[in-house]
């Protein structure tokens, strides 16, 4: 079954799942927001332009895990980048706050993206959206933009930051080309164990 064959079913699962999870985690969301705001200057949410379906930019929401002004410090850390391809990853990033490090380890910083799902900008499952500045795809890699990006996806259940750029692209293209509704359900079921294991989370 292709994405075109079941868009309504996938969207229904997205709306139902995101609504349920937001209601379920509402007290936790409030506590996280308070913890972020109380332990470092700045707002509790971080907003960033990400590449969505078809390459269209949208504003993705996350709990802020870095100190204010962290984006301006990225160029100074570029030579320490531990990733390849279009990604910037630094395991011991000095910009990350203590609360932010805990949120990242547990992937709790991603919870506000459930709002993006309700807006129709993201799906519960799909290729992870990358910053617009990191998404100048060419060739085969551009096909990962054929579908809505996801809160979770092949990366999250297969090693996250431990994967190379080529491995990430390969997983995303396999997802796009061989999508099945039961595969989305399988990825959702595997996400919690992957988060608890904290493999590749930083």
């Amino acid at each position: 079954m292709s994405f075109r064959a079941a868009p309504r079913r996938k969207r229904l699962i997205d709306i139902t799942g995101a609504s349920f999870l937001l209601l379920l985690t509402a007290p936790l969301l409030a506590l996280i927001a308070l913890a972020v705001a109380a332990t470092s200057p700045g707002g509790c949410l971080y907003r960033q332009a990400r590449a969505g379906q078809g390459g269209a930019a949208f504003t993705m929401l996350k709990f802020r895990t870095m100190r204010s002004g962290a984006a301006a410090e990225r160029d100074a850390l570029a030579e320490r980048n531990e990733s390849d391809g279009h990604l910037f990853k630094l395991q011991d990033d000095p910009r990350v706050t203590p609360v932010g490090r805990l949120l990242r380890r547990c992937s709790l910083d991603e919870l506000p993206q459930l709002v993006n799902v309700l807006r129709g900008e993201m799906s519960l499952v799909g290729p992870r959206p990358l910053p617009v500045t990191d998404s100048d795809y060419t060739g085969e890699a551009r096909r990962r933009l054929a579908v809505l990006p996801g809160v979770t996806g092949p990366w999250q259940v297969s090693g996250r930051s431990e994967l190379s750029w080529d491995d990430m692209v390969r997983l995303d293209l396999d997802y796009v080309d061989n999508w099945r509704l039961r595969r989305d359900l399988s990825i959702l079921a595997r996400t919690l164990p992957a988060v608890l294991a904290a493999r590749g989370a930083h």
Side-chain angles (χ1 to χ4, degrees), residues 11-12 20 35 39 49 58 70 84 88 117 124 147 168 178-179 195:
R11 182 61 183 152
L12 179 60
F20 173 76
T39 56
F58 72 98
D84 56 358
F88 180 85
V117 174
L124 289 176
V147 301
M168 292 174 178
N178 300 290
W179 178 82
V195 168

Side-chain angles (χ1 to χ4, degrees), residues 18-35:
S19 299
F20 173 76
L21 289 171
L22 281 172
L23 288 173
L24 182 68
T25 61
L28 177 60
L29 294 173
L31 287 174
I32 292 173
L34 287 173

Side-chain angles (χ1 to χ4, degrees), residues 6 28 30 61 76 78 84 91 137 142 156 161-162 168 181 196:
L28 177 60
L61 304 174
D84 56 358
Q91 186 167 356
Y137 305 119
R142 189 162 185 81
Q156 280 58 48
S161 296
E162 293 181 357
M168 292 174 178
L181 188 58
L196 293 176

Side-chain angles (χ1 to χ4, degrees), residues 118-138:
L118 291 182
R119 290 175 178 174
E121 299 162 336
M122 295 179 65
S123 175
L124 289 176
V125 182
R128 283 296 294 163
L130 298 183
V132 170
T133 53
D134 293 340
S135 58
D136 184 19
Y137 305 119
T138 57

